[in-house]
Amino acid sequence: MNRIFSSFDVADSRSIAIADDVENAPELCVIVPTFNECDNVAILVERLDGVLTGIDWEVVFVDDNSADGTAARVRALGASDRRVRCICRIGRRGLSSACIEGMLSTTATLIAVIDADLQHDETLLPYMRDALVEENADVVVASRYVSSGAADGLASHGRKRLSRLGAELARRLLKSDLADPVSGFFMLRRKLIDGLAPNLSGIGTKILIDVLASSPRPLRVVELPYRFRARHSGESKLDALTGVEYILLLAEKISGGHFPRRFFMFALVGASGVLVNLIVLRLAMLTGKVGFTPAEALGTAAAMTSNFLLNNSLTYRDCRLGGWQAVRGFASFACCCSLGALTSITLARDLYELTGLWVLAGVAGAVVGALLNYALTSIFTWQRGT
């Protein structure tokens, strides 16, 4: 088995403790984030049982309340095999955050992350475990882009190009020489996660980048080649927003966490709200029957509605509000934004009377309102910290 060593350099040199053996705890915990993977979980458990002979292991499926009965299927497996556990998450979603929750739930000394779609080669797990222990590594990454590794299982040439582009972007922006920093198949020590958990973003799907970029010291990383297989059953969860979240994750890590991903996304949504505001404002004024102040009020209301819908679908999609919760959420959003709206309208009115420039007045009012909206709604509407 070819092994490639690298380190991930970060500014601080503080050390992170290496896990000690925990009495009566399994040696290895395999974390499997799932969303509508009912047809794959039994096959994966069977394969894990076949390749992890001689290793004390458990598997934790972290399911985002799948509609296809994935959690029920896992519980049925766990009823006859105590090594199989399930965490079913209600009201929150996301691969990275699911992995973090699963990793923090175990007392195992070593933790592996693997997908449920059977594209990752589970036969590599014993070799990853050996490399982690024998080479005193912090992280062992299954890589598609070293030695005999291959990404044949990606659905199209376009997906392959995007994967390589994402890996190259991560290497350049985060100054890493890791060949496959976007790999979703890796193993690490539990104590490493214990130390890093407060700094992890839990954004999107690239949990490995989150781990590497959050470490206060250089990590010793070993890469093992493997061939990425085709999906066994179900549908890929990759969409356009996944790519946006990836870029925002890199931006957050490059900023040292000073500008959270939600801030960037909220800003993008806010920019679209400015456009909505200006369009409605101008259309209302063109009628000749509406003065600037009521026209600006109409623009603000339209922007507020647009911003809520987009933020609920994009910025806070991991805790998206639906049904009556969305109705109550919009009411909360509107209440929280009332102060921003009042400030926005007042400022815009005064600037317009002072300068006569409707664009300047509209933009200034919208920007000030957006800053207040972010601070208030992130806490009260979606009950998340800023």
mmCIF file of all heavy atoms in Angstrom, residues 181-211:
data_model
loop_
_atom_site.group_PDB
_atom_site.id
_atom_site.type_symbol
_atom_site.label_atom_id
_atom_site.label_comp_id
_atom_site.label_asym_id
_atom_site.label_seq_id
_atom_site.Cartn_x
_atom_site.Cartn_y
_atom_site.Cartn_z
ATOM 1 N N PRO A 181 -7.547 17.222 -0.797
ATOM 2 C CA PRO A 181 -8.113 17.829 0.407
ATOM 3 C C PRO A 181 -9.633 17.833 0.431
ATOM 4 O O PRO A 181 -10.235 18.123 1.458
ATOM 5 C CB PRO A 181 -7.562 19.268 0.363
ATOM 6 C CG PRO A 181 -7.340 19.531 -1.093
ATOM 7 C CD PRO A 181 -6.897 18.211 -1.668
ATOM 8 N N VAL A 182 -10.273 17.516 -0.708
ATOM 9 C CA VAL A 182 -11.737 17.473 -0.748
ATOM 10 C C VAL A 182 -12.268 16.051 -0.564
ATOM 11 O O VAL A 182 -13.453 15.796 -0.752
ATOM 12 C CB VAL A 182 -12.270 18.079 -2.068
ATOM 13 C CG1 VAL A 182 -11.959 19.558 -2.141
ATOM 14 C CG2 VAL A 182 -11.692 17.359 -3.283
ATOM 15 N N SER A 183 -11.397 15.128 -0.185
ATOM 16 C CA SER A 183 -11.830 13.753 0.048
ATOM 17 C C SER A 183 -12.826 13.698 1.201
ATOM 18 O O SER A 183 -12.677 14.393 2.208
ATOM 19 C CB SER A 183 -10.624 12.868 0.374
ATOM 20 O OG SER A 183 -11.036 11.557 0.709
ATOM 21 N N GLY A 184 -13.828 12.843 1.062
ATOM 22 C CA GLY A 184 -14.795 12.649 2.137
ATOM 23 C C GLY A 184 -14.562 11.355 2.893
ATOM 24 O O GLY A 184 -15.413 10.923 3.676
ATOM 25 N N PHE A 185 -13.391 10.728 2.665
ATOM 26 C CA PHE A 185 -13.067 9.419 3.235
ATOM 27 C C PHE A 185 -11.736 9.544 3.956
ATOM 28 O O PHE A 185 -10.688 9.673 3.322
ATOM 29 C CB PHE A 185 -13.006 8.397 2.100
ATOM 30 C CG PHE A 185 -12.798 6.970 2.524
ATOM 31 C CD1 PHE A 185 -13.062 6.536 3.817
ATOM 32 C CD2 PHE A 185 -12.342 6.036 1.595
ATOM 33 C CE1 PHE A 185 -12.864 5.212 4.185
ATOM 34 C CE2 PHE A 185 -12.154 4.708 1.949
ATOM 35 C CZ PHE A 185 -12.411 4.303 3.240
ATOM 36 N N PHE A 186 -11.772 9.530 5.291
ATOM 37 C CA PHE A 186 -10.540 9.726 6.055
ATOM 38 C C PHE A 186 -10.693 9.144 7.452
ATOM 39 O O PHE A 186 -11.794 8.773 7.880
ATOM 40 C CB PHE A 186 -10.168 11.209 6.127
ATOM 41 C CG PHE A 186 -11.219 12.082 6.763
ATOM 42 C CD1 PHE A 186 -11.202 12.362 8.122
ATOM 43 C CD2 PHE A 186 -12.239 12.639 5.989
ATOM 44 C CE1 PHE A 186 -12.172 13.162 8.706
ATOM 45 C CE2 PHE A 186 -13.217 13.444 6.565
ATOM 46 C CZ PHE A 186 -13.181 13.705 7.921
ATOM 47 N N MET A 187 -9.580 9.072 8.185
ATOM 48 C CA MET A 187 -9.564 8.566 9.558
ATOM 49 C C MET A 187 -8.672 9.464 10.392
ATOM 50 O O MET A 187 -7.659 9.960 9.908
ATOM 51 C CB MET A 187 -9.060 7.119 9.598
ATOM 52 C CG MET A 187 -9.180 6.441 10.961
ATOM 53 S SD MET A 187 -8.564 4.726 10.970
ATOM 54 C CE MET A 187 -9.716 3.916 9.861
ATOM 55 N N LEU A 188 -9.068 9.689 11.643
ATOM 56 C CA LEU A 188 -8.285 10.534 12.539
ATOM 57 C C LEU A 188 -8.445 10.072 13.976
ATOM 58 O O LEU A 188 -9.186 9.137 14.264
ATOM 59 C CB LEU A 188 -8.691 12.007 12.386
ATOM 60 C CG LEU A 188 -10.175 12.373 12.291
ATOM 61 C CD1 LEU A 188 -10.918 12.096 13.579
ATOM 62 C CD2 LEU A 188 -10.330 13.839 11.915
ATOM 63 N N ARG A 189 -7.738 10.743 14.862
ATOM 64 C CA ARG A 189 -7.808 10.418 16.279
ATOM 65 C C ARG A 189 -8.913 11.226 16.951
ATOM 66 O O ARG A 189 -9.080 12.411 16.674
ATOM 67 C CB ARG A 189 -6.460 10.702 16.955
ATOM 68 C CG ARG A 189 -5.313 9.873 16.374
ATOM 69 C CD ARG A 189 -3.981 10.269 16.981
ATOM 70 N NE ARG A 189 -2.901 9.521 16.359
ATOM 71 C CZ ARG A 189 -2.468 8.347 16.789
ATOM 72 N NH1 ARG A 189 -3.023 7.789 17.847
ATOM 73 N NH2 ARG A 189 -1.481 7.734 16.164
ATOM 74 N N ARG A 190 -9.643 10.579 17.859
ATOM 75 C CA ARG A 190 -10.771 11.255 18.503
ATOM 76 C C ARG A 190 -10.323 12.487 19.273
ATOM 77 O O ARG A 190 -11.011 13.515 19.274
ATOM 78 C CB ARG A 190 -11.502 10.293 19.449
ATOM 79 C CG ARG A 190 -12.731 10.934 20.123
ATOM 80 C CD ARG A 190 -13.415 9.962 21.066
ATOM 81 N NE ARG A 190 -12.511 9.505 22.095
ATOM 82 C CZ ARG A 190 -12.234 10.188 23.204
ATOM 83 N NH1 ARG A 190 -12.789 11.364 23.418
ATOM 84 N NH2 ARG A 190 -11.399 9.705 24.098
ATOM 85 N N LYS A 191 -9.178 12.445 19.930
ATOM 86 C CA LYS A 191 -8.701 13.583 20.704
ATOM 87 C C LYS A 191 -8.469 14.806 19.826
ATOM 88 O O LYS A 191 -8.587 15.946 20.290
ATOM 89 C CB LYS A 191 -7.410 13.222 21.442
ATOM 90 C CG LYS A 191 -7.625 12.397 22.705
ATOM 91 C CD LYS A 191 -8.293 13.243 23.782
ATOM 92 C CE LYS A 191 -8.357 12.478 25.106
ATOM 93 N NZ LYS A 191 -9.031 13.283 26.157
ATOM 94 N N LEU A 192 -8.137 14.575 18.568
ATOM 95 C CA LEU A 192 -7.967 15.695 17.653
ATOM 96 C C LEU A 192 -9.288 16.435 17.472
ATOM 97 O O LEU A 192 -9.339 17.669 17.530
ATOM 98 C CB LEU A 192 -7.453 15.187 16.300
ATOM 99 C CG LEU A 192 -7.241 16.243 15.213
ATOM 100 C CD1 LEU A 192 -6.190 17.262 15.631
ATOM 101 C CD2 LEU A 192 -6.842 15.576 13.894
ATOM 102 N N ILE A 193 -10.354 15.688 17.270
ATOM 103 C CA ILE A 193 -11.681 16.294 17.115
ATOM 104 C C ILE A 193 -12.128 16.971 18.409
ATOM 105 O O ILE A 193 -12.730 18.049 18.383
ATOM 106 C CB ILE A 193 -12.710 15.243 16.673
ATOM 107 C CG1 ILE A 193 -12.497 14.909 15.210
ATOM 108 C CG2 ILE A 193 -14.132 15.722 16.908
ATOM 109 C CD1 ILE A 193 -12.735 16.097 14.279
ATOM 110 N N ASP A 194 -11.826 16.358 19.544
ATOM 111 C CA ASP A 194 -12.192 16.974 20.824
ATOM 112 C C ASP A 194 -11.600 18.376 20.939
ATOM 113 O O ASP A 194 -12.241 19.298 21.443
ATOM 114 C CB ASP A 194 -11.697 16.112 21.990
ATOM 115 C CG ASP A 194 -12.496 14.825 22.141
ATOM 116 O OD1 ASP A 194 -13.585 14.750 21.547
ATOM 117 O OD2 ASP A 194 -12.022 13.911 22.827
ATOM 118 N N GLY A 195 -10.363 18.528 20.460
ATOM 119 C CA GLY A 195 -9.707 19.822 20.545
ATOM 120 C C GLY A 195 -10.172 20.815 19.505
ATOM 121 O O GLY A 195 -10.209 22.026 19.753
ATOM 122 N N LEU A 196 -10.551 20.310 18.319
ATOM 123 C CA LEU A 196 -10.905 21.191 17.210
ATOM 124 C C LEU A 196 -12.385 21.561 17.159
ATOM 125 O O LEU A 196 -12.748 22.548 16.505
ATOM 126 C CB LEU A 196 -10.529 20.531 15.879
ATOM 127 C CG LEU A 196 -9.049 20.274 15.613
ATOM 128 C CD1 LEU A 196 -8.873 19.650 14.235
ATOM 129 C CD2 LEU A 196 -8.248 21.562 15.705
ATOM 130 N N ALA A 197 -13.226 20.787 17.804
ATOM 131 C CA ALA A 197 -14.682 20.956 17.664
ATOM 132 C C ALA A 197 -15.170 22.396 17.828
ATOM 133 O O ALA A 197 -16.007 22.856 17.044
ATOM 134 C CB ALA A 197 -15.410 20.034 18.645
ATOM 135 N N PRO A 198 -14.665 23.169 18.814
ATOM 136 C CA PRO A 198 -15.176 24.541 18.958
ATOM 137 C C PRO A 198 -14.866 25.437 17.761
ATOM 138 O O PRO A 198 -15.534 26.458 17.567
ATOM 139 C CB PRO A 198 -14.455 25.047 20.224
ATOM 140 C CG PRO A 198 -14.086 23.816 20.984
ATOM 141 C CD PRO A 198 -13.753 22.800 19.920
ATOM 142 N N ASN A 199 -13.868 25.061 16.955
ATOM 143 C CA ASN A 199 -13.462 25.896 15.824
ATOM 144 C C ASN A 199 -14.016 25.420 14.490
ATOM 145 O O ASN A 199 -13.795 26.071 13.461
ATOM 146 C CB ASN A 199 -11.930 25.942 15.732
ATOM 147 C CG ASN A 199 -11.291 26.532 16.978
ATOM 148 O OD1 ASN A 199 -11.818 27.463 17.555
ATOM 149 N ND2 ASN A 199 -10.179 25.965 17.398
ATOM 150 N N LEU A 200 -14.703 24.287 14.479
ATOM 151 C CA LEU A 200 -15.215 23.745 13.234
ATOM 152 C C LEU A 200 -16.455 24.511 12.785
ATOM 153 O O LEU A 200 -17.296 24.886 13.592
ATOM 154 C CB LEU A 200 -15.548 22.260 13.391
ATOM 155 C CG LEU A 200 -14.358 21.345 13.685
ATOM 156 C CD1 LEU A 200 -14.836 19.908 13.914
ATOM 157 C CD2 LEU A 200 -13.335 21.382 12.559
ATOM 158 N N SER A 201 -16.560 24.720 11.484
ATOM 159 C CA SER A 201 -17.665 25.496 10.944
ATOM 160 C C SER A 201 -18.905 24.642 10.701
ATOM 161 O O SER A 201 -20.028 25.120 10.817
ATOM 162 C CB SER A 201 -17.248 26.158 9.619
ATOM 163 O OG SER A 201 -16.130 26.991 9.819
ATOM 164 N N GLY A 202 -18.695 23.369 10.328
ATOM 165 C CA GLY A 202 -19.828 22.505 10.013
ATOM 166 C C GLY A 202 -20.550 22.926 8.753
ATOM 167 O O GLY A 202 -21.745 22.696 8.606
ATOM 168 N N ILE A 203 -19.819 23.516 7.814
ATOM 169 C CA ILE A 203 -20.422 24.063 6.598
ATOM 170 C C ILE A 203 -20.349 23.049 5.462
ATOM 171 O O ILE A 203 -19.305 22.446 5.223
ATOM 172 C CB ILE A 203 -19.687 25.343 6.158
ATOM 173 C CG1 ILE A 203 -19.815 26.420 7.226
ATOM 174 C CG2 ILE A 203 -20.216 25.858 4.825
ATOM 175 C CD1 ILE A 203 -18.944 27.617 6.969
ATOM 176 N N GLY A 204 -21.442 22.885 4.756
ATOM 177 C CA GLY A 204 -21.430 22.126 3.513
ATOM 178 C C GLY A 204 -21.039 20.670 3.664
ATOM 179 O O GLY A 204 -21.435 19.981 4.609
ATOM 180 N N THR A 205 -20.207 20.196 2.723
ATOM 181 C CA THR A 205 -19.883 18.770 2.658
ATOM 182 C C THR A 205 -18.404 18.454 2.843
ATOM 183 O O THR A 205 -18.054 17.287 2.972
ATOM 184 C CB THR A 205 -20.320 18.198 1.295
ATOM 185 O OG1 THR A 205 -19.598 18.859 0.249
ATOM 186 C CG2 THR A 205 -21.818 18.397 1.069
ATOM 187 N N LYS A 206 -17.533 19.450 2.856
ATOM 188 C CA LYS A 206 -16.090 19.196 2.887
ATOM 189 C C LYS A 206 -15.557 19.290 4.316
ATOM 190 O O LYS A 206 -14.811 20.193 4.680
ATOM 191 C CB LYS A 206 -15.362 20.166 1.948
ATOM 192 C CG LYS A 206 -15.841 20.081 0.504
ATOM 193 C CD LYS A 206 -15.787 18.643 -0.035
ATOM 194 C CE LYS A 206 -16.328 18.526 -1.447
ATOM 195 N NZ LYS A 206 -16.377 17.127 -1.926
ATOM 196 N N ILE A 207 -15.905 18.289 5.117
ATOM 197 C CA ILE A 207 -15.530 18.271 6.517
ATOM 198 C C ILE A 207 -14.018 18.152 6.694
ATOM 199 O O ILE A 207 -13.450 18.699 7.646
ATOM 200 C CB ILE A 207 -16.265 17.121 7.249
ATOM 201 C CG1 ILE A 207 -15.842 17.030 8.719
ATOM 202 C CG2 ILE A 207 -16.050 15.794 6.556
ATOM 203 C CD1 ILE A 207 -16.200 18.248 9.531
ATOM 204 N N LEU A 208 -13.318 17.480 5.774
ATOM 205 C CA LEU A 208 -11.876 17.319 5.912
ATOM 206 C C LEU A 208 -11.174 18.675 5.879
ATOM 207 O O LEU A 208 -10.262 18.934 6.671
ATOM 208 C CB LEU A 208 -11.328 16.411 4.807
ATOM 209 C CG LEU A 208 -9.802 16.221 4.800
ATOM 210 C CD1 LEU A 208 -9.322 15.610 6.111
ATOM 211 C CD2 LEU A 208 -9.376 15.360 3.620
ATOM 212 N N ILE A 209 -11.570 19.541 4.945
ATOM 213 C CA ILE A 209 -10.973 20.878 4.878
ATOM 214 C C ILE A 209 -11.234 21.631 6.168
ATOM 215 O O ILE A 209 -10.350 22.329 6.693
ATOM 216 C CB ILE A 209 -11.529 21.650 3.669
ATOM 217 C CG1 ILE A 209 -10.993 21.058 2.373
ATOM 218 C CG2 ILE A 209 -11.170 23.132 3.759
ATOM 219 C CD1 ILE A 209 -11.517 21.737 1.130
ATOM 220 N N ASP A 210 -12.422 21.503 6.697
ATOM 221 C CA ASP A 210 -12.779 22.154 7.959
ATOM 222 C C ASP A 210 -11.835 21.705 9.067
ATOM 223 O O ASP A 210 -11.327 22.516 9.856
ATOM 224 C CB ASP A 210 -14.228 21.812 8.313
ATOM 225 C CG ASP A 210 -14.873 22.822 9.251
ATOM 226 O OD1 ASP A 210 -14.180 23.742 9.705
ATOM 227 O OD2 ASP A 210 -16.080 22.685 9.527
ATOM 228 N N VAL A 211 -11.577 20.408 9.138
ATOM 229 C CA VAL A 211 -10.688 19.860 10.170
ATOM 230 C C VAL A 211 -9.263 20.379 9.989
ATOM 231 O O VAL A 211 -8.629 20.878 10.932
ATOM 232 C CB VAL A 211 -10.704 18.322 10.131
ATOM 233 C CG1 VAL A 211 -9.584 17.745 11.002
ATOM 234 C CG2 VAL A 211 -12.055 17.789 10.595
#
